[in-house]
Amino acid sequence: MKVLVLNCGSSSIKYQFFDVKETLVLAKGSIERIGTSSAILTHTRHDGDNIKITGEILDHNIAIEYVLAVLLSKNHGVIKDKNEIEAVGHRVVHGGEDFSVSVLITNAVIKTIQDNFELAPLHNPPNLKGIVACQSHLPGIPQCGVFDTAFHQKMPPKAFLYGIPYQLYKSHKIRRYGFHGTSHLYVSQRAAEFVGKPFNELKIITCHLGNGCSMAAINNGVSVDTTMGFTPLEGLLMGTRSGDIDASIPLHIMAKEGLTLAEITTMLNKHSGLIGISGVSNDMREIIKAKEEKHVRSKHAFENFCYRIKKYIGGYIAALGGLDVLVFTGGIGENSYEVRKETLTDLEYLGIKLDEEKNLNTAGEREISSADSKVKVLVIPTNEELVIALDTAKIVSEIKQQTCLL
Ligand code: AMP
C-alpha cells in the first residue's frame, strides 16, 4: 500500500510518501513559510533526485496542492495518478482523552480534533487544515489520524492528575497528557525486538532528546508515566523550553516585570531551556562546543540538561519497580555521546553501566551498555513517519477486508 504521511504545522508541511509493503520512502520533502510569497518547497526522490522551489503559497490548501503536484510531476515525481495514493496518515498532536490509538478520520473524529483545539492551539488547527485540504484534493481516499498523546492515554490517575482542585480536571481537562507518544512507542517496540524479548514483558525507559525532550516509563508495553504534561512545556530541560519549574515562578516574574500572559508564555517556551541558561544557543552541539571553550553558562546548561534526565531515570526506575532497557533517541539522544555519558555516570548502583567505547559508535540501532550491565542501554533512531504509515496502512487494510466480507 502507498501511503502519504503528512505533518502539518502552522507555517510548514512535512511529507513522506511510503511504499509500506517495501518499507520504502519513495519521496519526501517539506514546504516552509506557508502564508507568504516566499514559501520554499524542497522535494527529494528515493533515487536522490531533488528540487527546491520558492514562490507564493498562501495557505495549507494550496500547499497540499503543491505536494500532490510534485509527487505527480513528470520529472521529479513518483506517481502518474493521484489514485496511486491509497491512504493519507496525519500526525495530530492532541487527541485529548478521546484517542488512545490511531483512527480512521470521520466527521466525528474531526469534531473531536476541533474540541481539542484549546488544548493544543498551535498544533491541532493546522493539523486539521491538512486533513480538510486532503478531503478536497483526494476525495474518497481514506485518511487516518495518529496522535502524539495516544500512547500515554493508559497512564493511571496517580500519574496524570495534578495536585490542584479536581474540578479543574473535569471542567477544563487539566491533566498530564504527554507527547512524543509515537516516538516513545516506536523506539520501545524496536528496543524489545533488539533485545529479543516480548514488548509486554519488559520495563523500559525511553529518552526522546531532540529540540523538544521527553521521557516515558513503559511497563509491559504500557506508558505509565511521562515527563511532558498538560502541554509540551513540562519535564526535561529543552532547547528553548524551561521544563519543570516551580509553578509560582511565572506569577512572580509577571508581577515583578509587568509581563503579560503572552509574554510569559513566550519566555518559558522560546527563551528558556538551553538558550535561556547559556545565552549561547538552543542547539546542543553549540552548547558542548562553548562548554569545551570554558563558557561557564554553557557548562551549567549542559549539566542541568543531563542532571534532569538522570533524576527522572531514578524516579522512573522506582515507578517501574526495576528496569530492563533504557533507550536514547532524538537528535541529541542519537548523536551526543557526551550527553549520554554525563547522564549515565555513576548509575552502576541502579544496574546501568555504559561501555564508553560503544558509546562512541555512531550509526544505527546499537547497544552502548557494557556486557555486565544489568540494564541494556540502547540507541534507537526514531521514525515517527514510519509508525504513521504503518498504522494508516493497517487501519485501511482492515477496513478494506471488512468491506470485502460484507
Ligand atoms: P530533533 O528535534 O530530534 O531533530 O533534534 C534536533 C537537535 O539535535 C538539534 O537542535 C541539536 O541540538 C541536536 N543534535 C543533532 N546532532 C547532534 C550532535 N551530533 N550532538 C549533539 N546534539 C546534536
Side-chain angles (χ1 to χ4, degrees):
M1 183 180 296
K2 289 191 181 133
V3 177
L4 176 62
V5 172
L6 291 173
N7 180 354
C8 298
S10 55
S11 64
S12 72
I13 291 181
K14 294 193 190 101
Y15 64 92
Q16 291 200 12
F17 187 49
F18 280 85
D19 182 332
V20 172
K21 194 162 159 238
E22 305 294 330
T23 330
L24 178 68
V25 179
L26 298 167
K28 63 178 171 182
S30 65
I31 301 183
E32 308 281 340
R33 305 179 57 148
I34 295 169
T36 71
S37 54
S38 53
I40 306 162
L41 183 154
T42 42
H43 173 84
T44 306
R45 201 166 53 190
H46 60 93
D47 60 5
D49 170 78
N50 62 83
I51 47 161
K52 186 170 174 178
I53 307 166
T54 306
E56 181 177 277
I57 299 182
L58 292 182
D59 60 34
H60 285 67
N61 192 45
I62 302 169
I64 294 291
E65 219 175 309
Y66 271 90
V67 171
L68 297 175
V70 78
L71 289 172
L72 282 159
S73 139
K74 204 167 156 216
N75 294 327
H76 307 286
V78 285
I79 50 172
K80 293 202 171 61
D81 191 290
K82 270 204 254 187
N83 289 327
E84 288 179 48
I85 301 172
E86 290 167 90
V88 184
H90 292 267
R91 174 191 183 210
V92 183
V93 166
H94 219 306
E97 290 192 315
D98 301 286
F99 301 108
S100 58
V101 288
S102 307
V103 292
L104 181 76
I105 290 173
T106 59
N107 288 341
V109 169
I110 288 182
K111 162 90 177 47
T112 312
I113 294 172
Q114 278 168 330
D115 289 344
N116 286 318
F117 271 12
E118 61 178 6
L119 294 178
L122 300 180
H123 295 99
N124 273 27
N127 295 160
L128 186 57
K129 280 185 189 168
I131 293 170
V132 172
C134 288
Q135 284 181 326
S136 121
H137 294 296
L138 296 167
I141 306 285
Q143 300 191 61
C144 295
V146 178
F147 300 89
D148 276 24
T149 47
F151 182 48
H152 303 302
Q153 264 304 301
K154 294 192 181 130
M155 269 187 292
K158 67 181 175 188
F160 76 66
L161 283 177
Y162 289 110
I164 55 175
Y166 186 77
Q167 114 227 10
L168 294 170
Y169 164 51
K170 285 288 153 199
S171 52
H172 297 300
K173 302 180 180 174
I174 295 178
R175 52 158 286 176
R176 178 182 308 285
Y177 290 97
F179 299 86
H180 290 145
T182 314
S183 174
H184 289 294
L185 175 61
Y186 174 77
V187 299
S188 54
Q189 284 178 328
R190 291 294 309 157
E193 281 180 39
F194 191 99
V195 299
K197 297 213 173 119
F199 183 44
N200 58 7
E201 289 177 17
L202 286 169
K203 296 179 191 299
I204 304 174
I205 295 175
T206 45
C207 309
H208 177 111
L209 311 176
N211 250 328
C213 301
S214 69
M215 290 169 58
I218 299 161
N219 198 13
N220 300 338
V222 176
S223 169
V224 294
D225 205 349
T226 189
T227 56
M228 282 179 170
F230 178 60
T231 72
L233 183 58
E234 196 184 347
L236 303 176
L237 195 81
M238 304 178 220
T240 60
R241 284 173 246 166
S242 64
D244 297 335
I245 58 170
D246 181 334
S248 60
I249 293 174
L251 309 177
H252 185 78
I253 299 172
M254 283 170 86
K256 281 272 173 200
E257 306 229 338
L259 297 187
T260 63
L261 200 57
E263 285 166 338
I264 195 79
T265 305
T266 304
M267 191 206 88
L268 294 171
N269 281 284
K270 305 250 186 247
H271 305 305
S272 298
L274 292 175
I275 181 83
I277 296 181
S278 71
V280 166
S281 173
N282 63 331
D283 189 312
M284 184 53 87
R285 288 163 289 201
E286 300 292 322
I287 297 292
I288 291 171
K289 191 162 159 273
K291 169 181 84 79
E292 281 163 3
E293 288 161 2
K294 310 278 178 239
H295 186 263
V296 175
R297 279 171 54 186
S298 294
K299 181 171 182 287
H300 292 326
F302 177 81
E303 289 178 355
N304 188 301
F305 183 91
C306 301
Y307 178 64
R308 214 174 287 184
I309 303 168
K310 178 180 274 201
K311 280 206 296 188
Y312 270 111
I313 290 174
Y316 282 174
I317 290 178
L320 290 167
L323 184 65
D324 300 305
V325 189
L326 175 65
V327 185
F328 285 92
T329 193
I332 300 172
E334 290 165 33
N335 296 303
S336 178
Y337 65 87
E338 299 97 331
V339 165
R340 296 191 300 257
K341 178 165 187 260
E342 174 77 14
T343 302
L344 300 185
T345 299
D346 294 334
L347 290 186
E348 288 83 2
Y349 176 76
L350 296 174
I352 298 170
K353 200 165 165 196
L354 191 68
D355 181 317
E356 295 212 8
E357 245 175 67
K358 284 192 203 160
N359 187 37
L360 297 176
N361 292 345
T362 49
E365 295 182 353
R366 55 201 187 270
E367 182 180 346
I368 55 170
S369 42
S370 65
D372 59 342
S373 177
K374 209 165 147 254
V375 173
K376 295 250 181 254
V377 185
L378 307 180
V379 177
I380 308 266
T382 194
N383 195 340
E384 291 160 277
E385 294 78 13
L386 178 62
V387 177
I388 297 174
L390 292 173
D391 272 15
T392 302
K394 185 163 171 271
I395 292 169
V396 173
S397 309
E398 281 169 6
I399 290 168
K400 281 186 178 165
Q401 272 174 7
Q402 282 163 9
T403 320
C404 286
L405 290 174
L406 288 175

